[in-house]
Amino acid sequence: MGWRYLNLTLGAFTFVMFMCRFFLFHLYESPKFLLSQGRQAEAVATVHGIAYKNGKTTWLSEDVLNEIGGLAVVEDEQKLSRKEIVGRNLNKFSTERIAPLFATRKLGLMTILIWFCWTTIGMGYPLFNAFLPQYLANSNAEQPTAPSIVYRNYAITSVVGVPGSILAAYTVNVKYLGRKGTIAISTLITGILVFCFTISADPDFQLVFTCLEALFQNIITPEVFPAPNRGTGTGIASCLNRIAGLCAPIVAVNAGQENPKAPIYACGGLFLAAFVAMCFFPIETRDQQSL
């Protein structure tokens, strides 16, 4: 049917999901954001709504918030000059939001290692997954694999990856394993399987190792960051992840011209580098309350 019908189909599914997002699901605004805007009544209503959704009750009320933090003061931006409004918005990007991520030596080391892992995996993931169909189609130069087989294997790989997340949800709470053990072991296995993937050009052999790689592929969430600065830490990690992902096609195009297996080797090396970094994580968050 061609790429045109593929894009039309994907666009139709995306539009349906877009409509479902607005008409079938009600997402509450962040209570923290509402409080920052002086909208305490809405923040309390949001907390009560979330509690009701989970079959719970809460003692929080607007009077409690006023007693703890004083009456809400809503600042009228229309009274500020344009220069003052711009300056106040730029203050949100102050390094004061980053400094708490390095408040202690242990937290600083954890922050750097998490950012490093997000960067390496951000490049390694697309090097393998985004270029997998092309590699499967061209890995056997004498007899290229049919497109139907290539995308069938790609679909099977995506489905097999789902149980991996379910398994990780259980293992992260296992004693002596926890978050660090789960992510380190899964990353190590992923890196090894990526290298094993290039051993044979047989489509069935590649399908087995691709499915195993998808099953164990994972990434840690930066829950170790202090709550007031978690958004900053996560945002920087995500930014580094996206930048590395943008560089992945450049690496794949230049390296793949000489050796079609080069992007796969680079991907495996990046995952192993992330594994080494994970072994030095100084903080384990299993059974610990977030800061």
Side-chain angles (χ1 to χ4, degrees), residues 3-284:
W3 289 103
R4 175 183 295 180
Y5 291 99
L6 173 63
N7 289 329
L8 289 174
T9 303
L10 294 177
F13 276 114
T14 303
F15 181 75
V16 171
M17 295 298 103
F18 169 81
M19 300 298 292
C20 291
R21 157 64 181 83
F22 279 93
F23 295 105
L24 299 182
F25 300 96
H26 176 65
L27 298 181
Y28 294 97
E29 183 57 86
S30 167
K32 181 179 178 181
F33 169 78
L34 294 174
L35 288 176
S36 68
Q37 301 298 310
R39 297 153 62 181
Q40 296 192 7
E42 296 179 56
V44 171
T46 296
V47 173
H48 279 271
I50 295 174
Y52 176 80
K53 191 73 174 181
N54 291 276
K56 305 291 184 179
T57 58
T58 178
W59 47 265
L60 185 65
S61 66
E62 190 174 355
D63 292 334
V64 173
L65 289 180
N66 292 335
E67 183 177 350
I68 296 174
L71 296 175
V73 177
V74 181
E75 188 174 8
D76 187 4
E77 291 194 358
Q78 294 180 354
K79 297 180 180 180
L80 301 176
S81 66
R82 184 173 301 176
K83 182 179 180 180
E84 290 173 332
I85 294 175
V86 173
R88 189 176 63 174
N89 290 330
L90 290 177
N91 287 335
K92 297 179 181 179
F93 299 95
S94 171
T95 55
E96 294 179 357
R97 295 178 177 270
I98 301 178
L101 301 176
F102 300 88
T104 64
R105 183 176 180 179
K106 179 184 292 186
L107 182 58
L109 176 61
M110 189 70 181
T111 299
I112 293 174
L113 291 177
I114 286 181
W115 288 351
F116 175 79
C117 291
W118 276 65
T119 303
T120 54
I121 294 178
M123 179 174 287
Y125 183 90
L127 278 176
F128 183 83
N129 291 275
F131 297 97
L132 182 59
Q134 293 89 331
Y135 178 81
L136 292 175
N138 300 318
S139 58
N140 189 355
E142 297 181 358
Q143 187 178 1
T145 307
S148 59
I149 301 298
V150 171
Y151 285 96
R152 182 208 65 181
N153 293 350
Y154 197 45
I156 294 174
T157 300
S158 300
V159 173
V160 173
V162 175
S165 301
I166 300 175
L167 177 63
Y170 168 76
T171 57
V172 293
N173 293 315
V174 174
K175 191 176 181 180
Y176 303 120
L177 191 61
R179 269 71 164 167
K180 291 198 303 183
T182 297
I183 187 61
I185 293 174
S186 63
T187 303
L188 174 63
I189 295 175
T190 298
I192 294 174
L193 291 175
V194 167
F195 282 108
C196 294
F197 176 83
T198 61
I199 294 176
S200 173
D202 180 77
D204 295 332
F205 178 90
Q206 292 177 341
L207 175 61
V208 171
F209 278 93
T210 306
C211 290
L212 290 173
E213 186 273 338
L215 178 65
F216 289 102
Q217 189 168 266
N218 210 329
I219 190 168
I220 192 171
T221 55
E223 59 185 9
V224 296
F225 294 143
N229 308 95
R230 186 167 299 153
T232 301
T234 306
I236 294 176
S238 180
C239 177
L240 294 173
N241 181 273
R242 297 298 187 272
I243 293 175
L246 291 173
C247 296
I250 301 175
V251 175
V253 169
N254 290 278
Q257 291 178 350
E258 301 295 333
N259 182 1
K261 295 181 180 180
I264 308 298
Y265 291 147
C267 170
L270 289 168
F271 274 106
L272 293 181
F275 160 72
V276 174
M278 292 169 187
C279 292
F280 290 96
F281 279 174
I283 299 176
E284 169 61 68

